[in-house]
């Protein structure tokens, strides 16, 4: 959604969307694999941590889209990034 709406301004083909989704999935999976193998943490703990960070990134955008009438795409992107940053920094 960020690729199509923000980077390509709504002008992306389905082929490009699928390609970007596949690249992002492989990239995030490999990053998580590296973090799991290097940290020695329990996998269940890391899965819970992943969901906590995802929820912290999505909740501000969801709440602001319901409560604020003049909520824009730029506001959504900034709220997602700020939620992600705050959640990640608070865990370390």
């Amino acid at each position: 959604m960020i690729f199509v709406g923000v980077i390509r301004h709504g002008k992306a083909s389905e082929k490009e969307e699928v390609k970007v989704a596949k690249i992002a999935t492989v990239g995030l999976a490999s990053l998580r694999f590296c973090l799991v193998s290097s940290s020695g943490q329990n996998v269940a703990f890391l899965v819970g941590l992943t969901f906590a960070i995802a929820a912290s990134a999505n909740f501000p955008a969801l709440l602001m889209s319901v409560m604020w009438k003049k909520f824009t795409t730029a506001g959504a992107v900034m709220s997602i990034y700020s939620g992600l940053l705050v959640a990640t920094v608070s865990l370390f």
Side-chain angles (χ1 to χ4, degrees):
M1 183 162 174
I2 290 176
F3 173 73
V4 177
V6 177
I7 296 173
R8 296 290 300 212
H9 303 293
K11 297 176 183 173
S13 67
E14 287 185 29
K15 216 174 217 184
E16 287 178 319
E17 289 182 48
V18 171
K19 182 179 178 182
V20 169
K22 287 180 181 180
I23 291 170
T25 302
V26 169
L28 290 173
S30 61
L31 176 67
R32 190 162 74 185
F33 176 75
C34 291
L35 290 174
V36 168
S37 63
S38 67
S39 68
Q41 291 287 334
N42 186 0
V43 174
F45 171 74
L46 292 173
V47 169
L49 192 65
T50 302
F51 280 112
I53 291 173
S56 298
N58 289 323
F59 181 72
L62 179 66
L63 182 68
M64 292 172 78
S65 68
V66 171
M67 301 301 239
W68 191 9
K69 291 180 183 179
K70 296 183 179 183
F71 193 57
T72 63
T73 304
V77 171
M78 290 308 298
S79 66
I80 289 170
Y81 283 144
S82 63
L84 177 66
L85 180 70
V86 168
T88 306
V89 168
S90 67
L91 290 172
F92 298 107

